[in-house]
């Protein structure tokens, strides 16, 4: 039996791990084990996702929690090293680009354990993003690189990664959406917020570059107030963003804006239920850029760069500065926005392709 550790740390990891867990769990040659590092720990950032995604409680919980980058990285390495030595997994699968993605990879490779990275090869080119450093380190030492799109393959090849390590498997996030599509549709979420289908926007923001600096966050809050005067907005508030809005005395100002509803982080089913019927998204999330492209919903990404350029070239995503927000919303209202198309292999079958590739590499079957 091949022992496979699946590493889950933070909110965006759970939708990447879930479809793969379900797929590996039904196969007789491997035993998937979920390892939660504990980076996200509030029920609305973790447990609710396990429930929605029909995942069992993690087999192993490292309980690392919040901290500085070095604290999180060192905490995961110190705790997980012992587990690797005890359990001797045949494969460790890391996903995405959070601190534990890199920490686990580094720790595992020093112990000569095979690591596969799901969602490999994405590059924003912006090394001031912690995630970009995590991606670069992880991809330079992982044994297998499962990519979501051809641009990711090209990035890896440019960096000198052997082609034999790379498999383009598509986008695993879409598997989670497809797994729960019927439940998401059945929930009729907009009505719970007194909203009509297609007549509201959804907001998520959590990047340090947008929410950690007082001036930037104040500016963004003011632009969002302006948008909410034109069209209702639901703002799903990430804990980092809530903390900073409160610290900078901006929370009441935003919460009191006409047309603005602020919510705690939503469970996956509730969030996607809102997203699928929305008119547009305003975000800086990685996953949301992908989900909106898949669903054909306009997405305004408040960033200078994206590691997911296919959401712009093929999908419905556009990068914007805060002062371009009102123009973007006006373009969306006038239908002047790309309708987009679904990127290749974003089809709900990525977990199956990953499992097949893992089997091939485990058994060395050509
Ligand atoms: C992390 C990831 C980021 C990812 C995001 C997804 C890194 C470097 N960052 O950013 O790539 O896009 O998750 O949401 O790995 N907090 C809580 N409750 C929780 C978790 C966090 O209150 O359950 C608060 C704490 O005050 C914490 C802060 O949020 O200090 C930031 O959390 P952290 O996990 O360090 O970074 P994120 O901004 O969530
Ligand atoms: N999400 C959710 N509820 C929310 C906000 C986000 O279920 O209130 C989901 C959504 O599927 C999104 C994913 O969480 O794609 C990604 O989370 P986040 O933006 O925190 O991380 P990133 O993708 O930027 O790393």
């Amino acid at each position: 039996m091949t022992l496979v550790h699946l590493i889950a740390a933070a909110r965006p990891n759970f939708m990447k791990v879930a479809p793969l867990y379900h797929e590996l769990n039904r196969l007789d040659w491997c035993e998937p084990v979920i390892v939660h590092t504990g980076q996200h720990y509030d029920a609305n950032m973790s447990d609710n996702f396990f429930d929605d995604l029909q995942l069992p409680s993690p087999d192993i919980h490292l309980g690392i929690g919040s901290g500085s980058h070095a604290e999180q990285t060192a905490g995961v390495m110190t705790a997980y090293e012992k587990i690797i030595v005890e359990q001797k997994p045949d494969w460790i699968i890391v996903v995405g680009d959070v601190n534990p993605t890199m920490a686990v990879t580094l720790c595992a490779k020093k112990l000569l354990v095979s690591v596969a990275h799901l969602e490999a090869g994405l590059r924003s080119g912006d090394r001031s993003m912690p995630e970009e450093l995590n991606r670069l380190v992880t991809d330079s030492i992982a044994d297998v690189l499962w990519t979501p799109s051809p641009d990711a393959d090209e990035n890896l090849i440019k960096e000198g990664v052997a082609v034999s390590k790379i498999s383009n498997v598509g986008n695993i996030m879409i598997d989670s959406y497809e797994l729960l599509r019927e439940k998401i549709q059945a929930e009729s979420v907009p009505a719970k917020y007194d909203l009509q289908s297609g007549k509201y926007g959804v907001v998520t923001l959590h990047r340090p570059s947008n929410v950690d600096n007082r001036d930037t966050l104040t500016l963004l809050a003011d632009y969002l107030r302006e948008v909410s005067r034109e069209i209702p907005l639901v703002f799903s508030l990430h804990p980092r963003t809530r903390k900073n809005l409160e610290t900078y005395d901006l929370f009441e100002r935003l919460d009191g804006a006409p047309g603005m509803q602020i919510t705690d982080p939503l469970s996956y089913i509730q969030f996607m239920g809102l997203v699928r019927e929305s008119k547009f998204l305003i975000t800086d999330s990685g996953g949301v850029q992908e989900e909106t492209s898949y669903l054909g919903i306009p997405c305004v990404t408040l960033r200078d760069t994206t590691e997911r350029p296919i959401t712009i070239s093929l999908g419905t995503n556009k990068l914007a500065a805060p002062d371009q927000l009102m123009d973007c919303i006006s373009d969306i209202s006038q239908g002047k926005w790309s309708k987009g198309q679904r990127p290749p292999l974003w089809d709900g079958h990525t977990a199956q392709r990953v499992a097949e590739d893992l089997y091939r590499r485990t058994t060395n079957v050509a």
Side-chain angles (χ1 to χ4, degrees), residues 240-358:
R240 174 189 286 274
T241 313
R242 174 179 285 276
K243 201 167 71 177
N244 291 337
L245 284 172
E246 287 171 353
T247 305
Y248 303 143
D249 282 331
L250 292 168
F251 184 85
E252 305 299 335
R253 204 153 112 192
L254 198 56
D255 198 28
M260 175 70 76
Q261 297 188 62
I262 296 187
T263 71
D264 283 333
L266 296 166
S267 79
Y268 180 72
I269 290 177
Q270 298 302 311
F271 183 71
M272 293 312 297
L274 265 187
V275 168
R276 70 177 278 276
E277 296 195 50
S278 67
K279 189 178 173 73
F280 59 82
L281 267 284
I282 298 172
T283 195
D284 56 16
S285 159
V288 170
Q289 295 173 59
E290 300 179 337
E291 289 155 340
T292 45
S293 279
Y294 183 68
L295 296 169
I297 293 169
C299 182
V300 183
T301 298
L302 292 171
R303 287 176 47 186
D304 302 334
T305 57
T306 179
E307 59 291 325
R308 292 160 161 92
I310 201 161
T311 60
I312 297 177
S313 58
L314 277 189
T316 54
N317 188 22
K318 201 167 172 177
L319 302 182
D323 62 359
Q324 294 171 314
L325 195 50
M326 286 309 286
D327 286 343
C328 287
I329 304 307
S330 156
D331 284 351
I332 291 166
S333 294
Q334 293 171 53
K336 295 186 200 159
W337 203 268
S338 163
K339 301 270 176 285
Q341 51 178 294
R342 290 176 174 174
L345 302 185
W346 293 27
D347 58 3
H349 300 295
T350 291
Q352 199 185 327
R353 284 186 287 270
V354 168
E356 284 165 8
D357 193 69
L358 189 66

Side-chain angles (χ1 to χ4, degrees), residues 91-159:
W91 285 98
I92 296 172
I93 299 181
V94 295
V95 301
D97 53 19
V98 295
N99 285 339
T101 308
M102 174 195 67
V104 162
T105 305
L106 196 50
C107 183
K109 287 318 301 168
K110 295 245 171 147
L111 293 171
L112 307 179
V113 179
S114 299
V115 175
H117 182 204
L118 179 54
E119 200 188 86
L122 297 182
R123 298 288 181 268
S124 67
D126 176 358
R127 290 193 181 192
S128 70
M129 286 180 79
E131 294 83 0
E132 185 76 350
L133 301 180
N134 294 339
R135 293 178 199 120
L136 285 162
V137 172
T138 303
D139 288 346
S140 68
I141 55 176
D143 302 277
V144 177
L145 301 159
W146 288 315
T147 62
S149 45
D151 55 280
D153 293 43
E154 284 164 25
N155 292 334
L156 293 171
I157 290 164
K158 259 190 263 161
E159 287 168 18

Side-chain angles (χ1 to χ4, degrees), residues 153-215:
D153 293 43
E154 284 164 25
N155 292 334
L156 293 171
I157 290 164
K158 259 190 263 161
E159 287 168 18
V161 175
V163 174
S164 59
K165 289 181 164 186
I166 307 169
S167 295
N168 181 205
V169 292
N171 190 330
I172 192 83
M173 297 281 281
I174 307 307
D175 287 33
S176 274
Y177 184 76
E178 286 302 322
L179 186 74
L180 294 174
R181 181 148 55 114
E182 281 174 22
K183 282 195 177 170
I184 291 167
Q185 284 169 357
E187 281 285 317
S188 305
V189 183
K192 297 181 189 170
Y193 294 85
D194 271 335
L195 296 168
Q196 287 175 286
S197 185
K199 298 199 171 159
Y200 62 92
V202 178
V203 183
T204 81
L205 294 173
H206 72 280
R207 294 280 155 223
S209 58
N210 277 330
V211 307
D212 280 4
N213 174 278
R214 179 194 289 269
D215 293 344

